[in-house]
Structures are given as C-alpha cells and as structure tokens.
Amino acid sequence: MLQEIYTELLKQYTDNKQHINECWKEIEAAYSSSSRHYHNLSHLENLVTQLSACRHDISDWNTILFSVFYHDIVYSVLNKDNEEKSAVLAEKRLITLSVPSVQIEKCKAQIIATKAHQSSNDPDTNLFTDADLSILGHSWSLYEHYYMQIRQEYSIYPDLVYNPGRKKVLHHFLQMERIYKTMPFYDKYELQARENLKRELDCMC
C-alpha cells in the first residue's frame, strides 16, 4: 500500500521511474531498520489510515503525504535533532523532484512540528501532528504494545536512565490543555489517551 501511494505521489512531479524507485528504496530501508520497533512502516501505514479518514478536512493532501513519509526518516535514540535532520533530508529529496518551494517549506514545518506537537496556525499541520499521536488514544492493549516498542527502541538505556525521561514525556502530554488540537481526533481519542498515559505512569511507579 505505502509504495503504491508514494509512487503515485511522486508521479505527479516526475516521470523518472528510476528516481522514484530510488527514493522509495531509501524510505523503505530507513523505516525497516532493525533498530526500529515502533517508528517503522507500520507507523506510516497508521498515519495514512488516520489522515485518509479526515482527508476532506485537509487542504494540501500531497504535502501532508510527503510529511508522513519523511517525518521519521532520520531516527536515532542517541540524537535530539531527528526532526530537524528529517526535515533537511526531505527538503533535499523534494528539490530533486521539483516540488514547489511552498510545499517544501510546509512539509519541513510539519515535520518539525512533530517535535513538540504544539498547536499550529495551520490546520493541516494540526491534523498531521494529531494523527502522529493517534496511538495514544487507542485501546489499552494496543497502547501497551506501543510503549513496549518504544522501550525496545531505547533498549540501550537502563531503566534508571530511561524511566525519568519517559515520565517527562508522559507528563508533557498530560499537562497539555488538549492533546489533540482538531475535533476529529479530540472527540475520538482524547479521553482514552489520558487514561492510557496515566496508566503507563502508574505502571512505572
């Protein structure tokens, strides 16, 4: 599904099949790394599914798809600038595809927005970051699987180091007035997300 969506997206900007294939292979390799347990192709599939459900609310579908595919292309638990590096790489690739600069800048901004998931003046960006957090509001069994996958990604750190950082992340979301900025995601996930976050905190005590 993902390869087909990505290929059809790029065909709108270039007819160079070899370049399209090379771009896809880069994405596939990055998100299929053995160190990725959550930030992988399944995560991208979930994002596409979540955003497709509210596509009628999205003004620039192509840009948001670019953001989906590139927002975690650079991901290392050792770095604190994954979003910035992902945005830079996205810009480089989109330039080679002759994507208009307005779309490139918007894509970069959407990728950077996933760093803190704060409210944006751009409705598309809010939908994108909400979709990125949709896992927080799923059933406890799915959420539990998610946070265990995150723990696997940070397996190089002992609990003594990992737990304080994870608690800080959980408190960050719980202290938000709203985790989800848009009504489609707020109505569907807000209450369950808060329950899940609190329950994970309880499990760490």
Side-chain angles (χ1 to χ4, degrees):
M1 178 186 81
L2 288 177
Q3 183 175 1
E4 181 180 353
I5 292 172
Y6 184 77
T7 298
E8 290 304 313
L9 174 64
L10 266 59
K11 282 182 179 179
Q12 298 178 53
Y13 301 90
T14 181
D15 57 3
N16 188 328
K17 293 182 179 179
Q18 181 178 347
H19 187 45
I20 291 174
N21 187 58
E22 289 171 349
C23 287
W24 167 252
K25 290 299 183 183
E26 178 181 46
I27 287 174
E28 185 178 44
Y31 287 94
S32 299
S33 168
S34 60
S35 63
R36 295 189 183 223
H37 301 276
Y38 174 73
H39 294 91
N40 50 31
L41 293 173
S42 294
H43 173 51
L44 300 192
E45 288 177 358
N46 179 59
L47 273 174
V48 171
T49 298
Q50 295 290 332
L51 291 166
S52 294
C54 56
R55 183 170 179 173
H56 59 282
D57 293 321
I58 297 171
S59 62
D60 188 346
W61 181 246
N62 282 5
T63 295
I64 217 165
L65 280 181
F66 280 128
S67 298
V68 167
F69 284 106
Y70 285 99
H71 79 289
D72 283 328
I73 192 166
V74 177
Y75 183 78
S76 170
V77 298
L78 298 174
N79 298 334
K80 294 185 177 181
D81 59 351
N82 289 315
E83 293 83 3
E84 290 83 357
K85 288 181 177 178
S86 292
V88 169
L89 181 54
E91 179 179 32
K92 290 179 179 178
R93 296 298 175 266
L94 299 192
I95 286 175
T96 69
L97 295 165
S98 299
V99 175
S101 59
V102 172
Q103 285 183 274
I104 293 176
E105 290 304 312
K106 188 173 181 180
C107 174
K108 288 169 59 183
Q110 288 176 349
I111 292 173
I112 297 297
T114 63
K115 194 176 187 75
H117 295 91
Q118 298 293 335
S119 182
S120 169
N121 291 326
D122 176 59
D124 281 5
T125 299
N126 287 331
L127 286 166
F128 175 62
T129 56
D130 276 1
D132 192 41
L133 295 179
S134 61
I135 185 62
L136 303 183
H138 280 274
S139 66
W140 171 251
S141 60
L142 289 176
Y143 179 88
E144 186 177 30
H145 183 59
Y146 144 75
Y147 82 68
M148 290 175 67
Q149 289 176 319
I150 296 296
R151 185 65 184 96
Q152 284 181 287
E153 291 184 341
Y154 283 82
S155 60
I156 62 171
Y157 297 108
D159 287 346
L160 186 65
V161 175
Y162 175 79
N163 287 352
R166 181 63 181 173
K167 287 180 180 179
K168 184 177 180 180
V169 171
L170 300 177
H171 283 299
H172 166 73
F173 288 123
L174 286 170
Q175 289 167 3
M176 286 180 167
E177 183 177 348
R178 290 173 56 139
I179 296 173
Y180 300 100
K181 284 78 67 180
T182 64
M183 290 310 298
F185 287 94
Y186 180 86
D187 289 343
K188 189 174 183 179
Y189 295 123
E190 184 79 14
L191 292 179
Q192 185 64 48
R194 291 187 178 277
E195 288 182 14
N196 289 338
L197 293 166
K198 291 175 183 176
R199 190 168 176 180
E200 183 184 351
L201 274 172
D202 290 340
C203 291
M204 298 176 73
C205 293

